[in-house]
Amino acid sequence: KQNAAAQKQAEPAVLQPTPQPKDDFQEELVVRPLHSGDIYASFQFRTLWETDFMRGNKVSHYRLFPKSLGQVISKFSVRELHISFTQGYWRTMQWGQPYLPSPPGAELWVWFQDSVTDVDATWKELTNVLSGIFCASLNFIDSTNTVQPSASFKPLGIGNVTDHRFLRYATLPREIVCTENLTPWKKLLPCGSKAGLAVLLKSEKLFHSSFHSQAVHIRPVCQDWQCKTTSWELRQTLNVVFDLHNSGQGKREWSLFKMFSRTLTEACPLASSSKIYIDITDNPEQFELSPATSLLSQAMVLGDRRTFSVYDLTQQDTFGSVRSLNLLIRWKSTEGDMLRPLLHAERYVAGYGLQTGEIHTLMYNHHPYRSFPVLLLDSVPWYLRLYIHTLTVTSKGKDNKPSYIHYQPSKDRVRPHLLEMLVQLPPNSVTEVTVQFERALLKWTEYTPDPNHGFYVGSSVISSLVPSTVAMDTNSTRERPLFSSFFPCKEESSYFVRVYTEPLLVNLPTPDFSMPYNVICLTCTVVAVGYGSLYNLLTRSFQIEEPSPGLAKRIANVIRKMRGVPPL
């Protein structure tokens, strides 16, 4: 037995194979030259992690997935979380459809798990935590600007959740996006802003643009087509549009250094894929790329087949001998027309005075012969009291009766109005939705510091399955570019589009806040002059004081005193 034990100890130990990491990180940059001469850049960063937050498992080791967001998911039982911060308004008719839409200001919508008992309390605590993570004013989200949609904002991940009690949606249309929001967003990336595509995210250039939007999307996704294994997907997106005259000095010539004041030297070492896509679909001969690449790719994006020139940053040959990549896009010709988006919407306020008004929402269907339904969601603050009986929907001068209407009236200082409608848009038409409202008079403590600027009303949300010109790919697990795989596609003949209108700026009856100041000044003056004088007269004591005699009189009195004569 001793010999056998000694022989067993002498045998070399068999090394156990190290387990493969169950997380993955990818990064992409899509550059789309616009017909107006502007340029659109979209960053996509995706982190996949094969773990389970839903079953109460305590996760203590984090590698690529940020720990702050992982703790938020597990603590608040979050199924899906979508948050965006946007500065500027996306001009659909000039720039086309964005890869990921977002409204001006801040937007947050969350699906909670069905194990949450008090959704409102969890929602309030979650907004406060996210406010600290992203250095934003999300703590101003409360019941007065939160709604519970009944048909919009279906889950984008796995699972058919139909109980909308666990959904909350809120917007802050006046939220200002600045560097303090971008810095914590970049810290969520595995490489931060030290390597990879995130090196280009320089705040001075990003905020000196026509449009800037950053977002974080968290959802569970399938690993294979049978969905036997699931993963958590964290997708960080950043979209920016650089103006031709403001950022490009009026020249139709763009480069990475001109857009971001930096060039690329390496990919993120933790990324399994790092690529740059240049959209050359409209006219490959319209502009030239430098350095040139022979790698081309096609993808189904927004119902159209697009062609891209691809630069793989994981290949050392991409950077050349100078070890630096500075893509140059130079226009050869300005000819060509942009493909007009099939769905477009806008909104404005009509009327005069400060008592009543009317909200107009216009939805455009530019398809020549196909009609399709759209789902309209409107969240209006309580201080605009809607007259829902005045709601009208017209298309081509005729009434267009919605097939589904959900309306939740507001409660003063408690909750806003919620209006959802399913409307069929005829081909090549404009559908107008109008509703009248009355302005409420607020308490003087409820006005903002600049009440004469006006009060913001969040954007309308329009969701639709728009007819596609090519057959869409319904396999969500197939390897595709990140920018074309965000919204799940269930039908080959259509694709999902979400459109946001402009936010509204409404004036309310505003008292003269300078009047209290004037009253205080006048009152203080009257008190100081009137009461002060009377008080002095009542409390002051008066005494008769004889004047002091002169020098001659004093000498005479001394002499008279010496003689024994009474003084003068």
Side-chain angles (χ1 to χ4, degrees):
K1 291 182 180 179
Q2 292 178 355
N3 293 337
Q7 184 178 4
K8 186 176 181 180
Q9 291 179 358
E11 292 179 357
V14 179
L15 297 177
Q16 297 293 333
T18 58
Q20 294 294 326
K22 296 183 179 181
D23 49 3
D24 180 68
F25 175 66
Q26 297 176 340
E27 57 180 3
E28 287 182 2
L29 168 61
V30 189
V31 179
R32 188 171 77 189
L34 304 176
H35 287 273
S36 60
D38 306 337
I39 197 160
Y40 171 38
S42 177
F43 292 85
Q44 302 270 343
F45 304 93
R46 184 177 71 167
T47 304
L48 284 176
W49 192 14
E50 188 179 336
T51 188
D52 193 359
F53 289 109
M54 294 186 180
R55 298 178 182 176
N57 300 332
K58 185 176 181 181
V59 180
S60 58
H61 178 68
Y62 291 82
R63 180 174 173 264
L64 299 179
F65 203 93
K67 186 176 181 180
S68 59
L69 295 182
Q71 292 176 339
V72 167
I73 295 173
S74 58
K75 176 176 175 56
F76 298 103
S77 300
V78 173
R79 181 181 294 272
E80 282 194 24
L81 187 147
H82 305 270
I83 182 172
S84 66
F85 301 95
T86 305
Q87 187 71 27
Y89 175 69
W90 182 269
R91 305 182 184 280
T92 306
M93 298 307 295
Q94 297 182 17
W95 301 335
Q97 293 286 359
Y99 297 122
L100 285 177
S102 57
E107 180 191 46
L108 175 65
W109 58 285
V110 178
W111 276 95
F112 294 97
Q113 299 180 27
D114 52 8
S115 60
V116 178
T117 56
D118 192 349
V119 179
D120 292 329
T122 307
W123 166 258
K124 182 60 180 176
E125 191 175 354
L126 175 62
T127 55
N128 287 315
V129 172
L130 294 177
S131 177
I133 293 177
F134 294 101
C135 296
S137 303
L138 300 178
N139 55 309
F140 285 96
I141 293 179
D142 54 14
S143 62
T144 61
N145 49 25
T146 300
V147 295
Q148 179 183 318
S150 64
S152 303
F153 294 100
K154 295 292 185 182
L156 298 180
I158 58 175
N160 264 334
V161 182
T162 58
D163 194 349
H164 283 254
R165 293 179 303 165
F166 301 99
L167 169 64
R168 293 297 182 272
Y169 173 80
T171 58
L172 295 175
R174 201 178 180 180
E175 179 71 14
I176 304 299
V177 187
C178 196
T179 309
E180 59 206 20
N181 308 118
L182 179 64
T183 301
W185 184 91
K186 290 192 292 186
K187 289 183 178 180
L188 299 176
L189 298 172
C191 292
S193 57
K194 306 299 182 182
L197 295 176
V199 173
L200 302 176
L201 302 180
K202 192 175 181 181
S203 58
E204 298 111 24
K205 285 292 186 177
L206 293 180
F207 295 110
H208 193 64
S209 58
S210 300
F211 176 85
H212 169 266
S213 176
Q214 61 188 57
V216 172
H217 305 277
I218 303 175
R219 61 179 178 177
V221 295
C222 295
Q223 284 283 68
D224 50 12
W225 66 276
Q226 294 180 343
C227 208
K228 293 182 179 180
T229 59
T230 61
S231 301
W232 280 92
E233 180 193 68
L234 166 64
R235 186 172 298 213
Q236 296 177 244
T237 63
L238 190 144
N239 299 312
V240 58
V241 176
F242 293 102
D243 183 73
L244 171 66
H245 302 283
N246 195 13
S247 302
Q249 290 83 40
K251 297 181 180 179
R252 289 179 174 260
E253 181 178 313
W254 294 95
S255 65
L256 291 182
F257 187 81
K258 191 174 183 179
M259 288 187 286
F260 306 105
S261 293
R262 289 177 183 173
T263 58
L264 292 173
T265 56
E266 62 175 345
C268 175
L270 300 175
S272 61
S273 173
S274 181
K275 296 180 180 180
I276 298 179
Y277 293 84
I278 310 295
D279 193 342
I280 59 172
T281 307
D282 295 334
N283 190 359
E285 305 297 331
Q286 189 174 3
F287 50 84
E288 61 178 353
L289 300 178
S290 177
T293 177
S294 58
L295 186 59
L296 299 178
S297 174
Q298 285 191 345
M300 307 297 179
V301 185
L302 299 173
D304 192 14
R305 190 186 305 273
R306 312 294 293 180
T307 305
F308 300 88
S309 294
V310 185
Y311 295 83
D312 192 352
L313 301 184
T314 58
Q315 304 295 327
Q316 297 298 327
D317 298 339
T318 305
F319 299 97
S321 59
V322 296
R323 307 296 303 161
S324 177
L325 179 62
N326 183 26
L327 289 178
L328 177 65
I329 304 176
R330 182 183 292 110
W331 265 256
K332 293 181 180 179
S333 172
T334 59
E335 298 179 356
D337 296 328
M338 182 190 71
L339 183 63
R340 190 167 57 171
L342 295 181
L343 179 62
H344 170 56
E346 59 186 22
R347 189 167 65 149
Y348 61 91
V349 175
Y352 58 90
L354 294 178
Q355 183 178 2
T356 60
E358 198 172 43
I359 298 178
H360 293 250
T361 304
L362 304 179
M363 297 177 290
Y364 297 84
N365 178 9
H366 295 299
H367 201 286
Y369 54 87
R370 289 282 300 273
S371 64
F372 52 86
V374 297
L375 184 62
L376 172 66
L377 181 143
D378 242 334
S379 176
V380 182
W382 63 267
Y383 46 78
L384 299 183
R385 293 165 179 165
L386 297 182
Y387 294 148
I388 200 64
H389 68 279
T390 64
L391 177 66
T392 59
V393 182
T394 58
S395 299
K396 296 183 176 180
K398 300 180 181 179
D399 290 340
N400 188 348
K401 186 178 181 181
S403 57
Y404 169 80
I405 293 182
H406 170 72
Y407 174 67
Q408 183 184 45
S410 68
K411 289 184 179 180
D412 286 359
R413 300 171 181 86
V414 176
R415 70 184 184 194
H417 301 268
L418 174 62
L419 176 62
E420 290 182 280
M421 294 188 300
L422 186 63
V423 183
Q424 188 80 13
L425 302 186
N428 198 17
S429 66
V430 180
T431 301
E432 183 177 13
V433 180
T434 62
V435 61
Q436 297 179 9
F437 65 89
E438 181 183 10
R439 296 170 169 88
L441 185 61
L442 304 180
K443 298 179 180 178
W444 71 273
T445 55
E446 295 174 338
Y447 285 91
T448 58
D450 52 347
N452 292 298
H453 177 77
F455 291 77
Y456 284 88
V457 180
S459 304
S460 295
V461 187
I462 299 170
S463 308
S464 176
L465 288 175
V466 179
S468 174
T469 57
V470 294
M472 300 297 294
D473 189 4
T474 58
N475 188 357
S476 60
T477 60
R478 184 175 300 173
E479 190 69 24
R480 291 186 292 174
L482 299 181
F483 59 88
S484 64
S485 61
F486 182 72
F487 290 113
C489 183
K490 302 297 180 63
E491 300 179 4
E492 294 184 354
S493 60
S494 60
Y495 62 98
F496 181 79
V497 171
R498 182 171 289 150
V499 177
Y500 294 93
T501 64
E502 306 93 334
L504 299 178
L505 185 61
V506 181
N507 288 323
L508 295 182
T510 305
D512 182 11
F513 285 102
S514 65
M515 185 179 63
Y517 173 75
N518 299 333
V519 172
I520 291 173
C521 292
L522 181 60
T523 305
C524 291
T525 303
V526 172
V527 170
V529 175
Y531 179 75
S533 302
L534 181 62
Y535 181 80
N536 287 336
L537 291 174
L538 294 177
T539 58
R540 182 178 298 175
S541 61
F542 296 92
Q543 296 180 357
I544 300 176
E545 182 179 356
E546 296 182 358
S548 59
L551 180 61
K553 189 175 182 179
R554 282 182 294 179
I555 295 174
N557 287 335
V558 171
I559 297 174
R560 289 173 69 89
K561 187 177 181 180
M562 292 173 61
R563 295 174 59 186
V565 179
L568 296 175

